[in-house]
Amino acid sequence: MNRDKCQRRKKSDDEEGDAISRLPEDLLLHILSLLPTREAALTSVLSKRWRDLFTLLQPDSYDFDDSVFMPCLSPEECPRTSFREFVNRVLSRQPNSPITKFSLTCHQGVDKDLVADWTRIALTRGATDLTLIVLFPASRIYSLPSSIFFYSRNLIKLKLGCGRLGIIHHNLFWGDFIFTNLRTLHLDSIDLGRSCESFAHLISRCPMLEELIVNCIRWHHWNSASVCSLTLKTLTIDCEHYLPSMNSFVFKKRRGKLASGNDVFVDPPDARSEFGSRSPHDISFDTPNLLYLNYSDFVARNYPLVKLDSLVEARLDVGSNRRQMHARDSVELRVRWDATNLIMGIQNVQTLHLTSATIEAIEDFCKTVPVFNNLNHLSIESDDERGWQALPLLLINCPSLHTLVFHGLHHRVSDGCGDACDCIPPPPSSSSCLSSCPVKILKILDFGATCGEMSLVEHFLKKLPRLEQVIIVLLHCDSFIEEGCDRFEVSKALEMAPRASPNCKLKVVNN
């Protein structure tokens, strides 16, 4: 009887495990189309039912990444034959079928002529979304496939990456080409040479460009740089100016697994010695229709032109390099850098996110701070090594501020920030910038409930006269459990604090 029971259970398990295979063919093909190209091909070994399904698949999206063919820890030492054969076989299987999206990621060892051939095939078959990431060493010059320029009429989205501080030869940028329909351009870790002309020329050949993303561009070598576009709506510039964290997307992504199941990662090449230390020269933004700006860099020498009339939201992470930090207390050297035009240029924003480095740069390198008449949402990131000296003036110059968000409450104590916090008690007769602040919603993230943080929240409650809601999100940390400090205790302690606004409600939540 037990034997019959086991047989019935085995039969039931087999039927349940094969439930997917019994689905209609059209549905199975749809499921395969959602998988990465190699994973979809591997399903052919599952059973006779799956053997021919991949050959019937007519995908319009291909994602090729040679890292999944790398059984070795060192990618450059791995054989590439299987990857080349796989890509050639897949692309030749249905040579006339249209391609909408084509993504190719390859390391040193894949022949550049093959990369050019594969790119040409994708573009001639109508690809509108192209991603080409070539992870070659920084010392190697890689020429972009000419097909990107000759068959560019269909491209709507283009993403180019060449490894951290890699070099993509820019001579082709001088050709007579035009990206007629390109809406999104993403350049990652690309060295365009020591002149700004190639970058400016590339942008000028994109008459319909709406989104530009530039990561790790080495424009600190240029005498000047300008982003000039009448059509641009979204702009992200991240120069990774903090000393090297090596977190470019092309290196932090996982590179497959060993036979043992352990993850394989690719070690990035060494950053050049001057990277992360030199500030750029003159930077201009001539983008009158831009709606969103995300800008991370060292403070430039000057910002001659900042035309951001339509800006709705901005995030600034503009910090000081080593030389600027040393010159902070020297009037003679401070005049060499001026960020006034940059801050004045964003005065029309409605939502503004500032890092602690930017708050400090405003104090050090801005001659004046504009009145942000339209600003209703201000977000501040904190750092215990950065001061809040510019925060009081910012709050005074935001007459329409509705929501104030702090990402942590840590900052370097100084007499300049005493107006906004209680780190250094002000004279009894002095007024606080908070007393005239119109903020109605105060949100504090990553709250650690230390004595200093609790005291600062009480200070906000006591000074902000129009508060309607305070939301505190506790920092997720084991110490809360160990010390027995939970949201109920934090809430109970703060409920007893005096408030300038009788209508203020307090809410404490876990992360």
Side-chain angles (χ1 to χ4, degrees):
M1 186 171 183
N2 290 335
R3 182 179 179 182
D4 293 339
K5 186 176 181 179
C6 291
Q7 289 177 343
R8 287 196 302 270
R9 180 179 299 174
K10 183 177 184 301
K11 182 178 180 180
S12 177
D13 292 343
D14 291 342
E15 291 175 352
E16 183 179 354
D18 199 38
I20 295 180
S21 295
R22 295 200 305 272
L23 293 174
E25 185 175 275
D26 290 344
L27 183 54
L28 287 174
L29 289 175
H30 176 70
I31 294 174
L32 289 181
S33 69
L34 301 176
L35 295 175
T37 305
R38 183 172 186 264
E39 280 70 11
L42 288 175
T43 60
S44 60
V45 303
L46 294 177
S47 66
K48 293 181 179 179
R49 175 74 171 85
W50 291 86
R51 181 176 300 168
D52 299 325
L53 280 177
F54 179 71
T55 61
L56 298 176
L57 189 65
Q58 296 184 359
D60 61 354
S61 177
Y62 293 94
D63 183 4
F64 298 110
D65 187 340
D66 68 350
S67 65
V68 298
F69 287 81
M70 296 178 185
C72 310
L73 285 173
S74 181
E76 63 274 8
E77 297 177 359
C78 296
R80 304 309 171 95
T81 305
S82 57
F83 177 69
R84 298 166 188 163
E85 291 178 349
F86 174 72
V87 176
N88 286 330
R89 185 170 67 253
V90 171
L91 292 179
S92 63
R93 185 167 48 84
Q94 295 176 349
N96 297 321
S97 63
I99 295 177
T100 301
K101 182 177 180 180
F102 185 82
S103 177
L104 175 64
T105 302
C106 51
H107 299 73
Q108 181 182 13
V110 176
D111 189 271
K112 65 178 183 179
D113 292 333
L114 269 179
V115 173
D117 288 342
W118 296 335
T119 305
R120 176 185 54 78
I121 291 172
L123 291 174
T124 54
R125 287 166 62 175
T128 59
D129 186 341
L130 175 65
T131 297
L132 178 60
I133 300 174
V134 187
L135 304 181
F136 291 163
S139 59
R140 178 172 177 179
I141 294 179
Y142 173 75
S143 297
L144 283 173
S146 58
S147 55
I148 292 181
F149 303 95
F150 296 152
Y151 302 98
S152 61
R153 62 186 180 275
N154 293 322
L155 276 178
I156 296 176
K157 184 175 182 179
L158 174 62
K159 183 175 183 179
L160 300 174
C162 199
R164 187 176 182 87
L165 299 185
I167 299 175
I168 286 188
H169 200 33
H170 62 279
N171 284 350
L172 283 172
F173 289 163
W174 295 104
D176 186 18
F177 67 93
I178 184 169
F179 291 106
T180 310
N181 296 305
L182 194 67
R183 301 301 198 274
T184 299
L185 176 61
H186 187 168
L187 305 175
D188 195 297
S189 306
I190 293 176
D191 187 348
L192 296 177
R194 292 182 173 265
S195 174
C196 63
E197 281 80 4
S198 58
F199 179 72
H201 182 66
L202 175 60
I203 303 304
S204 70
R205 308 308 289 173
C206 304
M208 302 297 290
L209 192 64
E210 296 180 356
E211 181 180 16
L212 175 62
I213 303 171
V214 181
N215 296 330
C216 200
I217 189 170
R218 303 183 69 231
W219 63 8
H220 58 270
H221 284 298
W222 304 349
N223 290 327
S224 63
S226 175
V227 181
C228 179
S229 173
L230 295 177
T231 59
L232 206 59
K233 299 292 192 297
T234 300
L235 174 61
T236 298
I237 296 178
D238 185 355
C239 291
E240 293 193 6
H241 51 295
Y242 294 119
L243 281 170
S245 58
M246 295 297 183
N247 60 350
S248 179
F249 83 95
V250 291
F251 289 109
K252 72 181 181 181
K253 66 183 295 187
R254 191 160 57 192
R255 294 294 169 209
K257 290 181 177 291
L258 296 171
S260 61
N262 296 324
D263 292 332
V264 179
F265 293 86
V266 174
D267 293 328
D270 293 334
R272 300 184 182 182
S273 58
E274 77 275 10
F275 183 71
S277 58
R278 295 184 57 177
S279 63
H281 292 266
D282 294 349
I283 305 295
S284 294
F285 298 96
D286 187 5
T287 51
N289 295 305
L290 193 71
L291 301 177
Y292 174 79
L293 172 66
N294 186 346
Y295 175 46
S296 298
D297 201 354
F298 288 125
V299 175
R301 181 178 61 187
N302 199 3
Y303 297 87
L305 176 63
V306 180
K307 196 170 183 180
L308 301 168
D309 304 335
S310 304
L311 199 62
V312 174
E313 182 176 358
R315 181 184 184 273
L316 296 185
D317 183 12
V318 183
S320 304
N321 64 10
R322 292 190 184 102
R323 188 180 182 191
Q324 291 166 338
M325 293 177 70
H326 290 314
R328 180 174 296 153
D329 298 326
S330 172
V331 176
E332 180 182 355
L333 290 178
R334 279 180 59 176
V335 297
R336 296 188 180 183
W337 302 281
D338 190 352
T340 304
N341 286 348
L342 175 64
I343 302 303
M344 295 295 292
I346 64 169
Q347 61 183 310
N348 292 328
V349 294
Q350 300 176 20
T351 301
L352 180 59
H353 309 273
L354 299 176
T355 63
S356 56
T358 308
I359 297 291
E360 203 166 63
I362 291 175
E363 171 69 15
D364 292 338
F365 303 110
C366 288
K367 299 174 183 177
T368 184
V369 174
V371 176
F372 295 91
N373 287 308
N374 300 326
L375 187 64
N376 56 60
H377 183 111
L378 176 61
S379 175
I380 305 292
E381 296 180 17
S382 67
D383 186 336
D384 55 11
E385 296 183 358
R386 305 281 186 175
W388 277 359
Q389 292 92 327
L391 186 56
L393 184 56
L394 277 173
L395 294 178
I396 291 174
N397 286 7
C398 300
S400 304
L401 190 60
H402 179 273
T403 302
L404 179 60
V405 180
F406 286 96
H407 295 259
L409 290 177
H410 308 288
H411 62 282
R412 181 169 53 84
V413 176
S414 69
D415 54 2
C417 66
D419 194 21
C421 66
D422 62 344
C423 298
I424 298 178
S429 59
S430 65
S431 61
S432 171
C433 64
L434 301 178
S435 300
S436 59
C437 186
V439 168
K440 294 183 178 180
I441 298 177
L442 175 64
K443 190 171 184 178
I444 302 171
L445 307 177
D446 299 329
F447 187 72
T450 63
C451 292
E453 290 172 297
M454 294 288 286
S455 177
L456 188 49
V457 173
E458 293 175 359
H459 178 72
F460 290 147
L461 291 172
K462 185 178 180 180
K463 295 293 184 179
L464 291 169
R466 301 184 189 179
L467 270 184
E468 295 179 0
Q469 188 176 26
V470 176
I471 303 172
I472 297 176
V473 181
L474 296 179
L475 177 68
H476 180 69
C477 181
D478 294 337
S479 62
F480 280 112
I481 301 175
E482 295 173 1
E483 298 174 5
C485 181
D486 56 22
R487 64 187 181 93
F488 299 106
E489 293 188 14
V490 173
S491 179
K492 182 179 178 181
L494 293 176
E495 286 287 357
M496 300 174 63
R499 306 179 190 186
S501 173
N503 300 321
C504 179
K505 295 181 180 180
L506 180 69
K507 184 178 182 180
V508 181
V509 299
N510 291 321
N511 190 356

